[in-house]
Amino acid sequence: MYKATVIIKRRPNILDPQGKAVEQGAKLMGFNNVSSTRIGKYIEFFVNTDSKSEAENEVKLYSEKLLSNPIMEDFEYELDEVK
Amino acid sequence: MYKATVIIKRRPNILDPQGKAVEQGAKLMGFNNVSSTRIGKYIEFFVNTDSKSEAENEVKLYSEKLLSNPIMEDFEYELDEVK
């Protein structure tokens, strides 16, 4: 079994309205040093197979087809074997 | 200046309906090995100060007060100096 961690970020040239909104809240609360807030996703799951290549394949497909929006997001992943 | 990375996860004993929903999609698409999908947030921003302790303080407050929901989420953060 493998534990997968996938990080999904908007591409740098794509606006992040959620990040902008939260940052406006930060200014209102007096956090004036905070800038360029970008909000992405951090996803964890298990892949129930003993083959690393099969696990990788499944993580990539899952990330591309369901977890991320490939038009405006990029993803990176890590796999750790769970004994 | 520091670059902050904050990861926000639901506590393990709190249900994650978004993760469950995405995982149902996974089963429908034939990814039968995937389980326990949990969806959190991955947040990046800059903190414009030269003092590491001031940056830490601001990151903690920002995470507690705005980025996370302290009732059901935990956060962890990293700070890297940007030259």
Side-chain angles (χ1 to χ4, degrees):
Chain A
M1 188 152 87
Y2 286 88
K3 186 181 175 189
T5 307
V6 177
I7 290 174
I8 297 176
K9 302 182 199 178
R10 287 183 174 235
R11 303 227 169 86
N13 55 339
I14 301 230
L15 284 176
D16 182 351
Q18 195 190 359
K20 268 249 160 341
V22 173
E23 201 171 291
Q24 276 175 11
K27 305 277 184 236
L28 290 174
M29 291 178 76
F31 306 138
N32 291 309
N33 296 327
V34 168
S35 66
S36 310
T37 304
R38 311 266 306 167
I39 300 185
K41 284 184 200 144
Y42 181 89
I43 302 167
E44 294 173 309
F45 53 92
F46 292 108
V47 188
N48 188 19
T49 170
D50 289 331
S51 144
K52 181 148 193 185
S53 66
E54 201 191 329
E56 266 189 355
N57 209 20
E58 196 140 333
V59 170
K60 278 188 209 163
L61 275 172
Y62 192 26
S63 301
E64 273 168 24
K65 303 285 182 201
L66 273 169
L67 300 175
S68 76
N69 172 353
I71 294 169
M72 54 191 204
E73 291 172 330
D74 289 320
F75 67 90
E76 51 198 72
Y77 66 90
E78 254 176 48
L79 274 178
D80 295 303
E81 196 163 4
V82 182
K83 309 259 176 186
Chain B
M1 187 150 89
Y2 287 88
K3 186 180 177 189
T5 308
V6 177
I7 290 173
I8 296 175
K9 301 183 200 178
R10 286 182 176 238
R11 302 226 171 86
N13 54 340
I14 301 228
L15 284 176
D16 182 351
Q18 195 190 359
K20 267 249 160 339
V22 172
E23 201 171 290
Q24 276 176 10
K27 305 276 184 238
L28 290 175
M29 291 177 76
F31 305 139
N32 291 311
N33 297 327
V34 167
S35 67
S36 310
T37 304
R38 310 269 304 169
I39 301 187
K41 284 183 198 146
Y42 181 89
I43 302 168
E44 294 173 308
F45 53 92
F46 292 108
V47 188
N48 189 19
T49 171
D50 289 331
S51 145
K52 181 148 193 186
S53 67
E54 199 191 329
E56 266 189 356
N57 208 22
E58 197 140 334
V59 169
K60 278 189 210 163
L61 276 173
Y62 191 26
S63 300
E64 273 168 23
K65 303 284 181 201
L66 273 169
L67 300 175
S68 76
N69 172 353
I71 292 169
M72 53 190 206
E73 291 171 331
D74 289 319
F75 68 90
E76 50 199 73
Y77 67 90
E78 253 176 50
L79 275 177
D80 294 302
E81 194 162 8
V82 182
K83 308 262 174 184

